[in-house]
Amino acid sequence: MSTRKPSDTYSPLYFLASVGAGGLTVTFFMWLMFWIPHPGKTVPVFEDIMAAFAAGNPATQAMLVIAMAGIAFFAFQNIKLLIWNLQRYTAWRKTEAFEKFAKTNAQSQMLALPLALAMAVNGGFIIGLVFVPGLWSVVEYLFPLAMVAFLAIGVLALKQYGAFLGRVLTEGGFNCAANNNFGQILPAFAFAMVGVGMSAPAALSTSATVAGASIAISTFFLMTSALIAAIAMILGLRSMMENGANADTAPTLLIIVPLLTVLGILMLRQAHGMGVHFGIDEGAGATLALTSKLLATQVAILLFGGLVLVKQGYAGRFLFGSENSAGSYALVCPGVALSVMLHFFLNNGLVKAGIVDKFGIAFWVITALAIAAQVAMVWLVLVLNRRHFGAPKHAATVPAE
């Protein structure tokens, strides 16, 4: 029996374990965001939660306890896995394995580092809102600091992606046959995560200057992400049509789902800032149209990617079978993203447009779908963590490419 865990063979895709945990933190925050009052503020804070708990019935109180416990638990996992990755990543960069890795298509996987860092900062903001009393009174001072942090992460992402593009566009060597996946969209996801964090002040700040800077800078990351994703999707699909999808990296076929959720939230935040500070209010109809298009595209991508995963028997091999791949963590983000997008589609789209009554039967039916996706991803994270970080089992590890 093997004495090694799959995670003993390091891959930068393990940063996705941290990202997935951070995403689950967001899913629990959605409960607070849309289910409890937070008058005068775009998001709920500690005081709103305590007021809702004091005035709520037992069901409301239970919901608040579960939400806060979920946020705390997965935020801890987010930071714990980020620290583990940073330690392993630092040591891995000094090895011969890294030298070989940096000359392959997989070099772009290094963008999982800024992706995880940006997710951690976003998660940290949620922790502050939920657990720190009085935070809202000083939040305006925190926005510039957060923007500096996201800008630093964005510069790191640009540097890493620049190194990859600089190599393949001057030296060549990009293996188009091995690009039979959507792995090259990962950098777009990283830039999107930086952008959505950068856009937060646009939705939350009372300063037109801060909101304007937030909109301008986040737009750069929005467009950079969209350009990379569009090109990478075409190149990946071209290779898959000729060579078939790579079984090990097949979960990347679903990466567009979280990308769309993150970019969607980015655009909603920008639209809010435009309405509050610059008189450009597109209204509930525009929000409904945007969230509907994003959700419809996500469903189409899930059907496409799910078909390939089922045909390849991915779950039987990499979730319950003898093979392990760090890329399996790429399955968490799509489920998390679907849950979050369903909440925004329902609350910012259908409810505000007057199509669905808040807390009515239709409201809870759609909310149940979001919660089902959330619960499934909680289960998947626990399964993957046990397989990759738990007690060693006899299982072959598939190197990520």
Side-chain angles (χ1 to χ4, degrees):
M1 181 173 289
S2 173
T3 59
R4 289 175 56 83
K5 301 186 294 290
S7 58
D8 289 337
T9 303
Y10 185 71
S11 164
L13 290 180
Y14 276 119
F15 276 111
L16 295 181
S18 174
V19 174
L24 284 172
T25 301
V26 177
T27 63
F28 283 102
F29 185 70
M30 291 294 98
W31 296 13
L32 307 178
M33 177 84 171
F34 295 118
W35 297 353
I36 67 169
H38 41 93
K41 296 179 290 294
T42 311
V43 292
V45 297
F46 175 82
E47 288 76 12
D48 297 316
I49 299 169
M50 292 300 101
F53 187 88
N57 56 36
T60 299
Q61 293 176 338
M63 179 274 290
L64 292 171
V65 169
I66 294 171
M68 294 181 74
I71 289 170
F73 176 77
F74 285 107
F76 172 76
Q77 292 295 317
N78 171 231
I79 299 302
K80 173 186 173 183
L81 289 166
L82 177 61
I83 292 172
W84 178 88
N85 269 284
L86 290 172
Q87 293 173 336
R88 293 297 306 272
Y89 178 81
T90 301
W92 176 68
R93 281 183 59 90
K94 302 173 184 177
T95 66
E96 185 178 335
F98 172 77
E99 296 296 326
K100 294 179 180 178
F101 173 91
K103 296 176 182 178
T104 67
N105 292 8
Q107 182 186 3
S108 61
Q109 291 177 7
M110 291 170 63
L111 272 291
L113 166 58
L115 170 62
L117 291 174
M119 182 75 254
V121 176
N122 282 313
F125 192 66
I126 288 176
I127 287 293
L129 292 174
V130 174
F131 293 103
V132 179
L135 182 71
W136 199 252
S137 64
V138 297
V139 74
E140 289 294 342
Y141 299 102
L142 300 179
F143 289 141
L145 297 177
M147 291 172 68
V148 169
F150 281 115
L151 193 57
I153 297 170
V155 169
L156 171 62
L158 287 168
K159 181 179 178 182
Q160 289 186 330
Y161 197 59
F164 170 69
L165 284 183
R167 177 180 66 82
V168 299
L169 294 180
T170 57
E171 302 174 13
F174 185 80
N175 189 339
C176 291
N179 189 41
N180 52 343
N181 54 64
F182 283 166
Q184 295 303 325
I185 298 180
L186 178 64
F189 192 16
F191 287 117
M193 190 65 73
V194 172
V196 77
M198 187 65 73
S199 69
L204 303 176
S205 178
T206 57
S207 166
T209 301
V210 172
S214 168
I215 291 170
I217 300 173
S218 62
T219 297
F220 167 77
F221 289 104
L222 165 66
M223 298 311 298
T224 299
S225 173
L227 286 169
I228 293 171
I231 295 170
M233 184 176 180
I234 293 170
L235 291 175
L237 193 58
R238 164 68 178 80
S239 180
M240 282 188 284
M241 295 293 282
E242 182 176 352
N243 305 293
N246 182 292
D248 179 33
T249 55
T252 62
L253 300 183
L254 304 177
I255 197 172
I256 298 171
V257 176
L259 177 66
L260 289 176
T261 289
V262 172
L263 291 180
I265 295 172
L266 190 163
M267 289 185 281
L268 289 173
R269 286 175 170 179
Q270 288 185 338
H272 182 84
M274 286 288 196
V276 171
H277 296 288
F278 307 109
I280 306 175
D281 190 353
E282 297 182 345
T287 301
L288 176 60
L290 174 62
T291 53
S292 296
K293 291 171 184 174
L294 292 172
L295 181 59
T297 306
Q298 288 177 320
V299 172
I301 293 296
L302 286 168
L303 291 173
F304 160 71
L307 172 66
V308 176
L309 290 167
V310 170
K311 287 284 188 180
Q312 293 181 334
Y314 187 89
R317 294 173 57 185
F318 295 96
L319 299 184
F320 309 110
S322 62
E323 298 175 83
N324 286 295
S325 171
S328 296
Y329 278 99
L331 292 172
V332 177
C333 293
V336 166
L338 178 65
S339 176
V340 172
M341 181 51 67
L342 281 168
H343 281 294
F344 275 96
F345 168 69
L346 172 60
N347 293 276
N348 284 23
L350 296 176
V351 172
K352 287 190 176 180
I355 298 172
V356 169
D357 293 330
K358 193 172 182 69
F359 301 135
I361 295 175
F363 179 93
W364 289 117
V365 169
I366 298 174
T367 297
L369 297 175
I371 294 176
Q374 177 185 6
V375 170
M377 291 308 101
V378 169
W379 170 83
L380 180 58
V381 162
L382 296 177
V383 168
L384 289 174
N385 285 352
R386 184 167 62 247
R387 284 183 68 91
H388 289 265
F389 297 95
K393 293 183 179 181
H394 183 65
T397 300
V398 179
E401 291 294 340

